[in-house]
């Protein structure tokens, strides 16, 4: 520390200090950390005099920076191995558990065994990216483009974390492009295997209603609600009675929560579920109208809950089950297991999922009812129209396609008398 007897520093001393600090900055130009810390006190140096206390504080800061000079030199040798533990801790705060647990799988299976894992971040090149892709292919020979996109997406997040902390200037894999032949083409999924036919839908609903009557439980009717609201399974589980909004004869329901898994970090597996006071995305927070069938189903659910001693105040969840005398929130598995059972009972060759119900409803809204796409996007709680379009299935033998083409034909057909007039007009034009 510099010791000064006077309570102020004259102009020449200040100038010397400025020159000294300029040297420190110039000597460590690549270390933005130093620049940022010195910049906080740069305004004091612009004054004609500098308070002794401010000067001593400043010099202590500079002294500490210089003491850590060797540490700062290590800044340029930071690797993915070094930053990943803190990176994943941040991800746990910012994304849902299913996302960061997938990233841990990619980390353990692919990253830790690769050459880029311990290579200094600022030395990783585009060629390393292609080598990493080859490495992934040796571990997962049947790698699809979708799988690679997820892996690279996780890697992009790691690089961005490094960029934000000045360990890296840019993403070295930004311009990486892989030929489609590099990947395994997944078997083509038939459109009819991802949506319920009208016959299948009616069978599933009838089975669910019969199950609710037989067991006197409300859970089967959750399947019916899905067929009328196209909710995400976590949104269904986290509905509360207070979410139902009534205005005159019309009723709506506010979708404003989701469900997430509790992760056992020792084994990185889900151990139970909990609700979160937000949807998957901001667009997921929406208010949907309730049709008469949905309102009737909700009334029946309330009756069954009351009969089973389950509270039905505005703060209570709609779907509660009793397990060994203890009331618990229904999770996604409760509805998934029932849907699978109903699919088998209906004699369906393909066992479909809750997600297929959501896809079915959105497809029907477009192809059978003609709801505008933007309205379907809101109904689904999607952030973009592109997401919505990916849900809508069009069958190759869809009668609607023929209707559109017939309508187009009607628009382009020229009446016979008008056609004769047109021929005469063209002959006269040619004589001119």
């Amino acid at each position: 520390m510099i010791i000064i007897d006077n309570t102020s520093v004259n102009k020449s001393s200040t100038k010397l200090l400025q020159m000294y600090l300029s040297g420190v900055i110039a000597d460590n130009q690549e270390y933005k950390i130093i620049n940022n810390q010195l910049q906080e006190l740069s305004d004091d140096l612009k004054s004609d005099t500098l308070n002794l206390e401010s000067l001593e504080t400043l010099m202590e800061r500079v002294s500490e920076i210089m003491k850590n000079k060797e540490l700062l030199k290590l800044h340029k040798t930071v690797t993915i191995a070094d930053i990943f533990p803190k990176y994943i801790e941040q991800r746990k705060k910012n994304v849902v558990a299913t996302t960061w647990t997938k990233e841990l799988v990619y980390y353990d299976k692919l990253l830790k065994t690769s050459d880029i894992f311990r290579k200094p971040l600022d030395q990783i090149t585009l060629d390393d990216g292609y080598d990493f892709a080859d490495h992934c292919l040796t571990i997962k020979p049947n790698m699809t483009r979708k799988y690679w996109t997820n892996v690279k997406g996780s890697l992009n997040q790691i690089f961005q974390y490094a960029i934000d902390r000045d360990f890296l200037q840019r993403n070295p894999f930004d311009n990486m492009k892989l030929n489609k032949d590099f990947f395994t083409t997944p078997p083509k999924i038939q459109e009819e295997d991802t949506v319920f036919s009208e016959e299948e839908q009616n069978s599933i609903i009838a089975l669910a209603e019969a199950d609710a009557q037989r067991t006197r439980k409300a859970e089967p009717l959750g399947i019916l609600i899905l067929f009328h609201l196209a909710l995400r399974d976590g949104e269904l589980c986290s509905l509360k009675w207070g979410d139902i909004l009534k205005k005159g004869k019309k009723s709506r329901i506010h979708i404003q929560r989701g469900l997430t898994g509790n992760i056992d970090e020792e084994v990185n597996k889900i151990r139970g579920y909990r609700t979160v006071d937000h949807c998957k995305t901001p667009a997921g927070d929406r208010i949907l109208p309730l049709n008469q069938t949905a309102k009737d189903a909700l009334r029946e659910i309330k009756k069954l809950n009351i009969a089973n001693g389950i509270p039905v105040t505005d703060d209570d969840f709609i779907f509660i089950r009793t397990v060994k005398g203890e009331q618990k929130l229904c999770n996604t598995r409760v509805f998934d297991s029932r849907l699978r059972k109903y699919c088998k009972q209906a004699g369906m060759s393909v066992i479909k999922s809750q997600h297929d119900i959501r896809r079915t409803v959105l497809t029907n809204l477009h192809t059978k009812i003609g709801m505008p796409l933007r309205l379907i996007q809101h109904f689904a709680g999607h952030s973009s129209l592109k997401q919505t379009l990916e849900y809508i299935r069009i069958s190759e033998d869809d009668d609607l396609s023929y209707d559109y083409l017939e309508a187009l034909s009607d628009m382009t057909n020229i009446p016979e008398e008008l056609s004769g007039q047109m021929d005469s007009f063209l002959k006269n034009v040619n004589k001119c």
Side-chain angles (χ1 to χ4, degrees):
M1 180 187 297
I2 296 176
I3 300 176
I4 300 176
D5 293 332
N6 299 326
T7 56
S8 64
V9 183
N10 59 31
K11 290 184 179 181
S12 60
S13 298
T14 304
K15 188 68 176 175
L16 286 171
L17 182 58
Q18 286 177 308
M19 291 173 64
Y20 170 71
L21 292 176
S22 296
V24 171
I25 295 174
D27 189 41
N28 298 279
Q29 190 63 39
E30 69 272 26
Y31 301 130
K32 291 184 180 180
I33 294 177
I34 291 180
N35 288 349
N36 293 339
Q37 290 181 327
L38 293 178
Q39 189 63 40
E40 294 176 8
L41 294 172
S42 63
D43 290 340
D44 290 336
L45 296 176
K46 295 177 183 178
S47 306
D48 288 343
T49 61
L50 191 65
N51 179 294
L52 176 60
E53 184 179 348
S54 297
L55 175 62
E56 290 180 346
T57 300
L58 177 62
M59 294 312 298
E60 284 177 353
R61 293 283 295 280
V62 173
S63 177
E64 183 151 341
I65 290 170
M66 297 312 291
K67 284 179 183 178
N68 291 327
K69 190 173 180 181
E70 291 305 312
L71 181 61
L72 290 171
K73 284 181 179 177
L74 294 175
H75 197 74
K76 297 193 71 174
T77 64
V78 170
T79 65
I80 292 176
D82 295 325
I83 67 171
F84 190 83
K86 286 190 175 180
Y87 161 78
I88 202 67
E89 286 304 315
Q90 177 182 294
R91 294 291 280 171
K92 289 177 182 179
K93 298 174 184 176
N94 298 339
V95 297
V96 296
T98 50
T99 299
W100 63 259
T101 50
K102 280 183 183 178
E103 292 192 64
L104 280 175
V105 172
Y106 301 147
Y107 172 77
D108 288 330
K109 190 174 182 178
L110 305 173
L111 267 176
K112 285 175 72 173
T113 55
S114 71
D115 292 336
I116 64 171
F117 185 59
R118 295 197 179 278
K119 188 170 185 176
L121 282 163
D122 67 343
Q123 294 179 27
I124 295 176
T125 66
L126 182 60
D127 286 338
D128 291 320
Y130 290 109
D131 289 342
F132 177 67
D134 288 333
H135 168 72
C136 292
L137 199 60
T138 61
I139 294 174
K140 192 173 177 65
N142 296 324
M143 183 168 67
T144 62
R145 181 178 287 278
K146 181 178 180 181
Y147 184 87
W148 167 252
T149 299
N150 291 337
V151 172
K152 188 171 181 292
S154 176
L155 199 53
N156 287 342
Q157 290 291 337
I158 295 172
F159 285 145
Q160 189 58 52
Y161 178 89
I163 290 169
D164 292 342
R165 285 151 186 79
D166 300 321
F167 296 126
L168 192 61
Q169 294 298 313
R170 56 179 292 277
N171 185 336
F173 296 172
D174 261 350
N175 297 321
M176 186 175 174
K177 294 179 181 178
L178 293 173
N179 190 289
K180 64 178 182 179
D181 295 334
F182 185 84
F183 306 101
T184 297
T185 303
K188 185 177 180 180
I189 299 175
Q190 298 298 318
E191 297 289 329
E192 58 267 24
D193 290 343
T194 61
V195 293
F196 288 81
S197 68
E198 186 173 349
E199 182 182 353
E200 290 173 341
Q201 180 175 329
N202 291 337
S203 295
I204 297 299
I205 290 175
L207 287 166
E209 290 176 333
D211 197 16
Q213 287 296 319
R214 181 179 60 81
T215 62
R216 304 309 296 165
K217 291 182 179 179
E219 296 96 298
L221 297 179
I223 304 298
L224 191 148
I225 296 296
L226 288 176
F227 272 113
H228 287 271
L229 293 178
L231 301 180
R232 298 179 177 94
D233 48 13
E235 293 172 343
L236 176 72
C237 296
S238 56
L239 287 176
K240 289 185 176 183
W241 290 108
D243 295 332
I244 300 173
L245 312 172
K246 295 181 180 179
K247 188 176 181 180
K249 294 183 179 181
K250 294 183 177 180
S251 294
R252 300 181 298 168
I253 192 162
H254 188 182
I255 312 303
Q256 56 184 317
R257 275 174 239 93
L259 198 68
T260 188
N262 294 317
I263 303 296
D264 183 339
E265 296 191 21
E266 290 186 6
V267 293
N268 292 322
K269 290 186 178 180
I270 294 176
R271 304 291 190 196
Y273 293 83
R274 60 186 170 84
T275 58
V276 288
D277 291 328
H278 58 80
C279 294
K280 185 177 181 180
T281 65
D285 193 316
R286 61 205 187 278
I287 296 176
L288 303 178
L290 291 171
N291 61 24
Q292 191 58 50
T293 305
K295 287 191 287 186
D296 291 343
L298 287 167
R299 273 195 289 268
E300 183 62 24
I301 290 168
K302 181 172 278 192
K303 288 180 183 177
L304 290 170
N305 282 0
I306 292 171
N308 290 320
I310 296 171
V312 292
T313 69
D314 283 353
D315 290 331
D316 291 311
F317 291 102
I318 293 177
F319 292 103
I320 296 291
R321 60 193 174 120
T322 302
V323 181
K324 296 179 179 179
E326 183 181 354
Q327 293 179 353
K328 294 183 176 182
L329 178 69
C330 288
N331 57 45
T332 58
R333 293 174 184 172
V334 171
F335 300 106
D336 183 66
S337 61
R338 278 177 167 74
L339 180 58
R340 288 175 178 275
K341 180 179 73 172
Y342 302 150
C343 287
K344 290 177 182 178
Q345 290 176 348
M348 292 169 54
S349 58
V350 177
I351 305 302
K352 295 172 183 174
S353 67
Q354 296 172 72
H355 206 68
D356 291 328
I357 294 180
R358 182 167 160 82
R359 191 177 289 112
T360 300
V361 177
L362 301 184
T363 296
N364 289 342
L365 286 175
H366 177 63
T367 60
K368 295 187 177 181
I369 299 175
M371 180 184 282
L373 287 171
R374 286 292 182 188
L375 197 53
I376 297 176
Q377 178 188 341
H378 169 75
F379 189 85
H382 285 154
S383 300
S384 69
L385 189 57
K386 181 182 177 182
Q387 286 178 285
T388 306
L389 292 173
E390 289 174 352
Y391 275 71
I392 294 174
R393 297 290 186 260
I394 305 296
S395 173
E396 292 181 0
D397 60 352
D398 197 329
D399 290 339
L400 193 60
S401 299
Y402 290 99
D403 293 341
Y404 281 131
L405 290 174
E406 287 298 332
L408 182 63
S409 175
D410 292 340
M411 290 174 62
T412 55
N413 280 339
I414 301 174
E416 187 175 344
E417 63 272 15
L418 184 59
S419 177
Q421 294 175 21
M422 182 65 72
D423 289 340
S424 177
F425 172 76
L426 291 174
K427 287 179 182 178
N428 291 331
V429 170
N430 290 331
K431 290 178 180 179
C432 296

